């Protein structure tokens, strides 16, 4: 079974359109979605329609809610809102206005509920796959960032995976989004170990793994191209894909819609998150810079 893994479209339909064209050239049996269909971008209507028709209508248990989706639905508590800066809040208000009175508004009001952030589980070809937006060790599921260069949180997640593997006797793979950085972390010699992933390489997942396909609509790894991944459940491999799209088209729509200028800058630069406290961060930064030099 071949499955397209998508996350963090963030209302960028131009990026989603080219990803769908790429999927058509690499036919899949299903799409699994890892959260944040809205926020940041100018096209929430089209993107929610895609989620409703191409994902939810096919398999309702194949997607989870992200933190921006929760923001749209008013699910964030006061602490979360206090920790959220003006830029995403402004974008959500513009998204909400664009959705008002549309069929897509009825979809999110019905489906974006308290239970939807919780992990969804799929068992295929003898392996268990858990879909979550951020992480499982945080009981709200969409706040913890699992970057490849940060080992501490990975240990927490692998403890949960190992317990599930022991209880079920099945290999365990956790699929997540939220960071906007394509990521593969395997479990080798008794510890998590990140893999420096590159596009179009089939990586074996092993018995325990964390996989982030990257962001369709808001990449954060110095590569503006839309990111997604192809999961082969029979071979138990994942292949990361990058697809060029006209990001200027999205930028023009952001400008026309009155969205914050900072969101246009993010599309243009695909900036890396910063983590000055981690000693491995310079190594990863240099890796992404090298990959950027090879990107089309």
């Amino acid at each position: 079974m071949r499955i397209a893994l998508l996350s963090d479209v963030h209302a960028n339909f131009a990026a989603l359109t080219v990803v769908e064209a790429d999927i058509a050239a690499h036919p899949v049996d299903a799409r699994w979605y890892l959260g944040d269909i809205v926020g940041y971008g100018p096209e929430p209507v089209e993107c929610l329609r895609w989620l409703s028709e191409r994902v939810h209508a096919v398999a309702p248990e194949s997607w989870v809610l992200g933190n921006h989706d929760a923001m749209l639905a008013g699910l964030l508590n006061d602490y979360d809102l206090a920790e959220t800066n003006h830029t995403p809040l402004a974008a959500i208000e513009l998204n909400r206005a664009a959705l008002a009175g549309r069929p897509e508004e009825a979809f999110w009001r019905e489906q974006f509920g308290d239970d939807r952030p919780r992990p969804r589980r799929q068992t295929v070809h003898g392996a268990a796959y858990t879909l979550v937006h951020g992480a499982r060790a945080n009981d709200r599921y969409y706040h913890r960032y699992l970057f490849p260069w940060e080992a501490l949180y990975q240990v927490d997640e692998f403890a949960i995976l190992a317990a599930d593997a022991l209880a079920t006797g099945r290999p365990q793979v956790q699929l997540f989004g939220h960071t906007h950085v394509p990521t593969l972390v395997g479990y080798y010699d008794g510890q998590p170990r990140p893999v420096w992933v590159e596009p179009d390489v089939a990586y074996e997942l092993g018995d325990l793994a964390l996989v982030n396909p990257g962001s369709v609509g808001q990449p954060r790894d110095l590569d503006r191209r839309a990111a997604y991944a192809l999961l082969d459940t029979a071979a138990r491999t994942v292949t990361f894909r990058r697809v060029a799209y006209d990001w200027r088209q999205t930028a023009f729509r952001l400008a026309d819609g009155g969205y914050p200028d900072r969101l246009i800058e993010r599309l243009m630069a695909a900036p890396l998150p910063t983590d000055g406290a981690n000693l491995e961060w310079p190594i990863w930064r240099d890796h992404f810079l090298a990959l950027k030099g090879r990107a089309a």
Side-chain angles (χ1 to χ4, degrees):
M1 188 173 182
R2 284 169 56 86
I3 299 164
L5 307 176
L6 301 93
S7 189
D8 296 280
V9 167
H10 280 295
N12 186 342
F13 192 62
L16 181 58
T17 299
V18 299
V19 165
E20 276 294 333
D22 197 69
I23 290 172
H26 302 82
V28 300
D29 302 292
R31 293 164 178 78
W32 292 352
Y33 190 68
L34 306 173
D36 275 354
I37 193 70
V38 298
Y40 291 142
E43 298 150 326
V45 173
E46 297 88 340
C47 294
L48 271 166
R49 185 182 308 134
W50 172 86
L51 180 65
S52 173
E53 296 176 355
R54 303 300 297 270
V55 182
H56 181 80
V58 177
E61 293 302 302
S62 63
W63 65 280
V64 294
L65 210 65
N67 56 305
H68 288 254
D69 307 323
M71 208 183 305
L72 179 73
L75 299 178
L76 296 187
N77 60 34
D78 291 342
Y79 174 80
D80 296 326
L81 288 173
E83 291 294 303
T84 303
N85 65 48
H86 173 74
T87 299
L89 291 172
I92 283 294
E93 288 306 315
L94 289 166
N95 276 193
R96 187 178 285 117
L99 288 159
R102 304 282 306 226
E104 293 77 16
E105 180 184 32
F107 169 74
W108 75 255
R109 289 192 179 279
E110 179 180 344
Q111 296 300 330
F112 285 21
D114 287 330
D115 184 61
R116 183 55 73 172
R118 295 185 176 277
R120 261 50 184 179
R121 294 177 174 85
Q122 307 280 348
T123 300
V124 190
H125 285 122
Y129 298 89
T130 301
L131 285 64
V132 67
H133 183 62
R136 293 167 68 191
N138 183 310
D139 62 3
R140 282 171 292 168
Y141 306 115
Y142 44 58
H143 288 288
R144 176 169 284 186
Y145 290 90
L146 296 176
F147 290 113
W149 53 84
E150 289 184 326
L152 180 62
Y153 289 163
Q154 295 166 16
V155 171
D156 293 343
E157 299 304 307
F158 274 102
I160 297 172
L161 289 175
D164 288 347
L166 183 63
T168 64
R170 296 190 182 99
Q172 302 285 325
V173 179
Q174 181 166 309
L175 309 170
F176 67 103
H178 196 37
T179 69
H180 301 206
V181 176
T183 300
L184 170 60
V185 184
Y187 200 70
Y188 310 102
D189 300 324
Q191 62 182 353
R193 187 174 301 165
V195 177
W196 284 355
V197 299
E198 298 195 36
D200 304 321
V201 177
Y203 294 96
E204 294 184 2
L205 294 177
D207 290 335
L208 300 174
L210 302 172
V211 175
N212 185 332
S215 172
V216 172
Q218 274 268 327
R220 301 274 175 83
D221 60 347
L222 300 178
D223 185 340
R224 286 192 294 258
R225 295 178 298 174
Y228 80 105
L230 295 169
L231 172 68
D232 186 326
T233 61
R236 208 181 307 151
T237 62
V238 63
T239 303
F240 296 87
R241 296 283 300 160
R242 300 307 287 253
V243 192
Y245 79 101
D246 186 359
W247 63 271
R248 294 174 182 83
Q249 176 183 341
T250 303
F252 288 141
R253 291 205 62 182
L254 285 169
D256 288 344
Y259 285 78
D261 289 344
R262 186 180 179 190
L263 298 177
I264 298 174
E265 295 167 3
R266 287 180 180 177
L267 288 180
M268 179 172 59
L272 280 169
T274 57
D275 184 8
N278 192 297
L279 294 179
E280 292 187 3
W281 167 243
I283 301 172
W284 283 94
R285 181 193 58 213
D286 291 346
H287 169 65
F288 287 125
L289 284 168
L291 288 181
K292 181 184 180 184
R294 284 177 256 169

